[in-house]
Amino acid sequence: MNNNSNCNLLPSYKEELKRGRQVNVIYDDIIIPKSLTHFPYKKTFYIETLGCQANYRDEEIISGLLTKAGFMRLDDYQKAQILIINTCAVRENAEQKVKGHLGTFKALKQKNKNLIICLCGCMVMQEESVREIQNKYPYVSIIFGTHNVTNILNILDNYLTSLQMIIDVPSFSENIVEKLPDYRNNNFQAFVNITYGCNNFCTYCVVPFTRGQERSRLEKDILRECQFLVNNGYKEITLLGQNVNSYGGDLNDGSNFAHLLEAVAKLKIPRLRFLTSYPSMFNDDLIDVIAKYDNIVKYIHLPVQAGSNKILKEMNRHYTREFYLDLVKRLRKKIPNIHLSTDIIVGFPNETYEEFLETLSLVKEVNFSSAFTFIYSPRKHTYASTIEDNVTYEEKVRRFKMLKETLEANIIAYTDKMIGKIYPVLVEGFSERDKTMLSGHTEDNVLVHFQGDETLIGQIVNVKINVSHVYSLIGELING
Ligand code: 5AD
Ligand code: SF4
């Protein structure tokens, strides 16, 4: 890997918006800079991630590189020498959280001058945010972006040489870096990137700015990573992309998502998932592949965002309400046991009450098994943020509550039906709330708690459902 760090490289939206760049795949070995092998302090780090699965995977990549350089990851930030916050920018509240954390870290830095505080992730891909951090939080040591997470060791090296704040936030990436350390947050569930970035430009969304041009990994590199996970006993793989359906479009070698998904399914991972699907690109070949392989879970996250054609158009979503409903019909015809989840935004600028009611009626018609719901949050530089909005925040909150109630009615009916039945559950660990209970998810992503011992963590076990608490279920282990 080249050491191409620059001490003062700020992100630029103009550069981020450019598409059509040639992408190179890099297979270089990792070189550990001398300053890190001879690091003069405790070789420990703490990393906290906000936001989506792409960030979660970046956390693993950063942790893997630091571990390779001899650092130990700690769960207690008070004891670590390097503190990293991997930020999110998708909605305003995620940015507020980061500022809260920086306040906490300030006190630690006052006690330990040599503490290294790093910020990375989507928030720092915005020039204004970087300038604000520079001015208001001068005790931050390093700011790096989403395009150079794989360069973390060299960036740290630069900091240790200068001991000045390093801002190294390239606006785009022309490289896909392979041969990264095999570091995962657990040894049974894995996220595997298939594309980086997004070319869709939904008008409310900051992701095409913060994660840049869409770039697909080569199928052979994805398959090698998945084969490694299968060989090492992993139970679940989730293929990751902002829009998995467009996988391969930039490779010009005939690659496409249906083909990739089938190739991964054939490796016989017990559970195969993928995130996130884009409705208008969800084709029949893909439906056929999902139907054909038992190990592809019959649960699809299919963000609809809104139920009104006018709002969908203003969001620059390339489908209509009718198209979405027809896709749901086609999916259910070929895969009768399919479960759907979705993302919905309420209160898009100037959304009328009638348009909002169209979202409610779509929700009732589709009968989602789960949903992530959001109040529209204006994001700098996006087209939607330039629209003058006539809907008050109070009205948005009212609609949000109505939407939640409608969704909840579906979800109650759905989870009630699970009572008395037996489901395979991938055991993920002890329950957060009750450490005597284990927790895991069914194939259709319902959270289940049940009594059991530690040896079951990472296994798929049968659980009979006894009680539904709507967003989680209580069950009992069934042997055999
Ligand atoms: N405001 C509210 N929700 C948003 N999302 C993305 N951008 C915004 C925004 N500006 C939601 C979308 C997306 C999910 C990941 O976050 O529903 O699918
Ligand atoms: Fe954002 Fe739309 Fe891309 Fe999803 S598809 S990341 S909502 S621009």
Side-chain angles (χ1 to χ4, degrees), residues 198 200-202 204-208 242-243 278 305 317:
C198 184
N200 274 11
F201 293 100
C202 301
Y204 51 81
C205 185
V206 79
V207 170
Q242 303 297 338
N243 170 4
Y278 191 88
Q305 311 296 0
R317 301 286 291 181

Side-chain angles (χ1 to χ4, degrees), residues 90-91 204-206 276 301 303 305 317 343-345 372 374-379:
V90 104
R91 284 170 296 275
Y204 51 81
C205 185
V206 79
T276 295
H301 185 59
Q305 311 296 0
R317 301 286 291 181
D343 289 345
I344 298 174
I345 300 176
F372 299 90
F374 312 101
I375 294 180
Y376 167 72
S377 167
R379 304 284 65 213

Side-chain angles (χ1 to χ4, degrees), residues 107-122:
L108 291 175
K109 179 85 182 183
Q110 277 163 348
K111 277 193 237 150
N112 174 5
K113 276 196 324 322
N114 303 319
L115 194 67
I116 301 174
I117 300 175
C118 310
L119 276 190
C120 60
C122 287

Side-chain angles (χ1 to χ4, degrees), residues 8 24 41 81 84 106 143 156 190 204 233 246 274 364 371 379 399 407 421 435 455 474:
N8 198 5
N24 306 306
Y41 320 108
Q81 190 64 34
I84 307 167
K106 183 177 182 183
I143 303 174
L156 273 167
Y204 51 81
S246 62
F274 52 90
K364 284 185 195 150
R379 304 284 65 213
R399 291 179 194 176
L407 280 161
K421 295 192 186 129
K435 294 285 176 209
T455 58
I474 309 293

